[in-house]
Amino acid sequence: MEPMNGRPNFAEKISEFRRLSDEQRKDFKLKVGLAEMLKGGVIMDVTTPEQAAIAEEAGAVSVMALERIPADIRKEGGVSRMSAIKMIRGIQECVSIPVMAKARIGHFTEARVLEALGVDFIDESEVLTPADEENHIDKRDFRVPFVCGARNLGEALRRVGEGAAMIRTKGEAGTGDIVEAVRHMRTIMKEIRIIQGMRADELPTAAKNHQAPLDLIEMVHRTGKLPVPNFSAGGIATPADAALMMSLGAETVFVGSGIFKSSDPLRHAKAIVKATTYWDDPFKVLEACEDIGEPMRGQSVAQTPEAELMAGRGW
Amino acid sequence: MPTIGVLALQGDFEAHLAMLREAGAPGCEVRTAQAMEAVDALIIPGGESTTMLRLLRREHLWNALAQFGARKPIFGTCAGAILMANEVSHPQQESFAMMDIAVVRNGYGRQLDSRIVLLHPEPGHDAILGTNLEAVFIRAPIISRVGPEVEVLVRYNGDPVLVRQGHHLAASFHPELTTDHRIHAWFAASVRKHNSVTNSL
């Protein structure tokens, strides 16, 4: 088989490799296709139609509608659930870019409701309180695409096996501390390189060690990348953070609390969009860094009690 | 050999670049006015048209792109076609008016309405493009009106989906997300032709 590098028919070749039926192939391609459209952009957390309008004006490629931004969930505690339908509808009506919303891990009924509402992407997210401590949602069964968080390659491939069309690092949402997103992105990229360098007869053991489906491990071996787009989330607070994640291999960034906890959200959001597009041009990133006011104060992950960390939710 | 640039502010520009490689016409990423000046033709990829418009304005690429379009060939897919239109609705937004077409953004609906269909070019164009084009529509715009100068190459449900005017080409779907590089090869060939004509003047 020819090498599968290059993107145009990547989804196609993966479908062929996984022996998907024609219907499954089209389904996979449409889901991954929307993720392709978001590349090189910034997806912003918003809690009101007004914030969504600011995000769109700043140049966001998509908005994530949620009831409270992660920094507030962290502060206020309680059970975090799927957002109020009225709020999501309000956001859908107010912007023309794709609207994403979060469902609790394993809560397939919340996901069905969001699908019925016509959201463009569902995030099965550790930021909300998990609904199932054993099973994630069987995402193959949905027509709407899903994004899921991961801390390492095995977790990413388990989610892809369940049907996720996009993977993002978990990072540590709501902290404004980039350290976990960096750790997760570096881990995923390093594990991909190790798999790539293995002999074919070592892959079954690698699959066992990563607790990941063998066919997906074989695909990573062959292509040197995840089978779906690889985005980054969790702690990105400044333009420099966004550019850092792009340099480490992220194809797009999610920014949650970083924007609406800053002193001037519109300016801050514009600067992050600029730094994400021009991540490999230090002069442009410099301009972006000059443009912002006070970033969110943040909370160091190292000083956060274990029980308050979100990345450990899901497996 | 002419070089085709792909506007890489945001979107599926990598897919276009890989497609150009397969079509035997390797391209390059374009993010600055200098890089744009250096290429002979441009592809505006799929992505979010609002994001691209804002970056074009803020990064002072607006005039460069408008002038480029007046002289050199451009191929836009989905968001790219929206930027090239002379009338954009749902909601209304500014555009470059490089082609006499009107587009309705997200005209086919949200992601749940995204679809893949097999299309056959209009009579007369099947000789160049062949038959059975796989068309991937993702939150696609509808081309709702075409002016008299515009040639419709492919239709879906009666709506134009691949159109040409002068040296410009626009598609409301994503040929870059398939295994079929006929449309890219055809665009590359028309760029070569355009170049040899303008160079001999």
Side-chain angles (χ1 to χ4, degrees):
Chain A
M1 202 172 177
E2 57 180 314
M4 293 202 275
N5 293 324
R7 274 286 183 185
N9 32 34
F10 195 68
E12 199 75 51
K13 284 173 177 163
I14 281 166
S15 303
E16 188 186 315
F17 187 80
R18 299 184 77 187
R19 298 198 180 83
L20 300 184
S21 70
D22 192 50
E23 200 166 313
Q24 289 169 322
R25 176 187 71 87
K26 285 182 178 170
D27 179 71
F28 182 65
K29 196 147 118 173
L30 284 175
K31 288 173 174 172
V32 172
L34 180 55
E36 294 279 342
M37 295 312 138
L38 304 175
K39 279 192 180 173
V42 183
I43 302 163
M44 303 182 189
D45 278 359
V46 297
T47 57
T48 62
E50 293 71 37
Q51 288 185 351
I54 290 173
E56 187 172 53
E57 173 54 36
V61 290
S62 175
V63 288
M64 174 76 71
L66 72 175
E67 206 131 44
R68 293 180 287 171
I69 53 176
D72 291 333
I73 293 177
R74 201 169 270 292
K75 208 163 64 195
E76 294 160 14
V79 175
S80 270
R81 313 181 177 91
M82 171 182 78
S83 300
I85 300 302
K86 196 175 152 201
M87 184 272 284
I88 301 173
R89 259 194 224 284
I91 289 172
Q92 283 176 318
E93 278 159 22
C94 140
V95 296
S96 62
I97 52 181
V99 176
M100 304 190 178
K102 289 182 193 286
R104 282 180 269 179
I105 290 174
H107 205 316
F108 54 84
T109 300
E110 281 188 349
R112 281 289 176 217
V113 168
L114 293 173
E115 184 181 49
L117 182 60
V119 304
D120 297 295
F121 236 105
I122 296 178
D123 185 3
E124 185 183 19
S125 178
E126 70 282 0
V127 168
L128 306 185
T129 313
D132 189 327
E133 295 195 327
E134 271 180 43
N135 308 292
H136 280 253
I137 297 170
D138 182 357
K139 295 165 275 286
R140 294 167 299 184
D141 205 26
F142 286 75
R143 287 183 52 232
V144 61
F146 278 77
V147 51
C148 288
R151 288 162 297 176
N152 53 51
L153 181 63
E155 194 173 9
L157 295 182
R158 287 193 292 281
R159 298 295 86 78
V160 175
E162 293 156 3
M166 184 206 292
I167 292 297
R168 56 169 175 77
T169 58
K170 283 183 167 171
E172 193 54 46
T175 58
D177 186 347
I178 196 71
V179 67
E180 292 302 304
V182 168
R183 188 193 320 280
H184 299 160
M185 186 55 80
R186 279 200 184 269
T187 302
I188 291 172
M189 301 310 265
K190 184 161 67 188
E191 288 172 341
I192 288 176
R193 288 194 297 274
I194 292 171
I195 297 282
Q196 215 183 351
M198 284 182 168
R199 277 166 53 110
D201 60 5
E202 293 166 341
L203 298 176
T205 302
K208 185 196 78 178
N209 292 339
H210 285 283
Q211 299 181 51
L214 177 57
D215 67 330
L216 295 179
I217 288 281
E218 285 173 337
M219 243 155 43
V220 169
H221 172 64
R222 203 180 283 263
T223 61
K225 46 177 95 175
L226 286 183
V228 300
N230 183 12
F231 292 13
S232 184
I236 297 165
T238 66
D241 287 348
L244 173 68
M245 294 317 299
M246 294 297 282
S247 334
L248 288 174
E251 296 175 298
T252 286
V253 297
F254 285 81
V255 183
S257 318
I259 289 168
F260 290 98
K261 285 288 176 192
S262 70
S263 61
D264 185 343
L266 178 60
R267 248 169 80 199
H268 202 86
K270 282 183 184 174
I272 290 182
V273 168
K274 175 173 181 152
T276 304
T277 289
Y278 294 100
W279 59 271
D280 62 349
D281 180 343
F283 296 97
K284 291 277 194 184
V285 178
L286 164 68
E287 285 170 22
C289 291
E290 254 178 337
D291 276 347
I292 59 171
E294 195 62 36
M296 75 182 279
R297 182 168 157 74
Q299 169 185 344
S300 152
V301 172
Q303 288 165 10
T304 304
E306 186 79 29
E308 289 178 22
L309 298 179
M310 294 170 172
R313 298 167 170 179
W315 36 93
Chain B
M1 179 141 134
T3 310
I4 301 177
V6 181
L7 190 66
L9 297 175
Q10 189 274 315
D12 70 340
F13 50 88
E14 277 182 5
H16 275 289
L17 285 166
M19 210 53 157
L20 287 172
R21 275 198 301 277
E22 296 210 350
C28 60
E29 293 179 5
V30 169
R31 287 191 182 83
T32 60
Q34 295 93 299
M36 201 183 295
E37 196 46 50
V39 298
D40 301 294
L42 193 67
I43 291 180
I44 308 179
E48 287 306 318
S49 61
T50 51
T51 304
M52 292 183 201
L53 285 172
R54 281 160 181 74
L55 282 166
L56 286 167
R57 278 271 183 233
R58 280 176 215 152
E59 300 305 322
H60 314 292
L61 291 166
W62 192 277
N63 292 338
L65 181 55
Q67 285 160 14
F68 189 97
R71 294 178 289 127
K72 297 177 180 177
I74 300 187
F75 174 25
T77 63
C78 197
I82 296 172
L83 261 54
M84 294 169 78
N86 68 2
E87 189 190 330
V88 181
S89 60
H90 188 245
Q92 188 270 331
Q93 68 185 25
E94 55 182 350
S95 58
F96 285 87
M98 291 164 177
M99 297 182 78
D100 189 10
I101 58 176
V103 301
V104 183
R105 293 186 58 210
N106 302 328
Y108 293 98
R110 296 183 174 279
Q111 174 63 9
L112 289 178
D113 304 297
S114 291
R115 66 196 75 179
I116 297 177
V117 294
L118 271 188
L119 298 177
H120 305 290
E122 294 290 287
H125 298 295
D126 44 355
I128 328 165
L129 289 169
T131 55
N132 284 325
L133 284 173
E134 188 179 61
V136 183
F137 290 91
I138 296 177
R139 290 171 40 90
I142 286 182
I143 299 174
S144 57
R145 180 189 62 75
V146 297
E149 309 278 292
V150 178
E151 210 178 344
V152 178
L153 307 177
V154 183
R155 287 179 190 275
Y156 166 57
N157 278 350
D159 297 322
V161 295
L162 180 68
V163 296
R164 175 169 65 173
Q165 180 177 0
H167 44 253
H168 297 326
L169 187 66
S172 55
F173 57 98
H174 296 282
E176 72 276 15
L177 294 183
T178 68
T179 48
D180 182 349
H181 57 254
R182 275 179 290 177
I183 295 178
H184 284 77
W186 183 63
F187 179 65
S190 74
V191 170
R192 281 193 289 274
K193 214 164 102 191
H194 180 263
N195 248 41
S196 64
V197 173
T198 45
N199 289 346
S200 64
L201 289 180

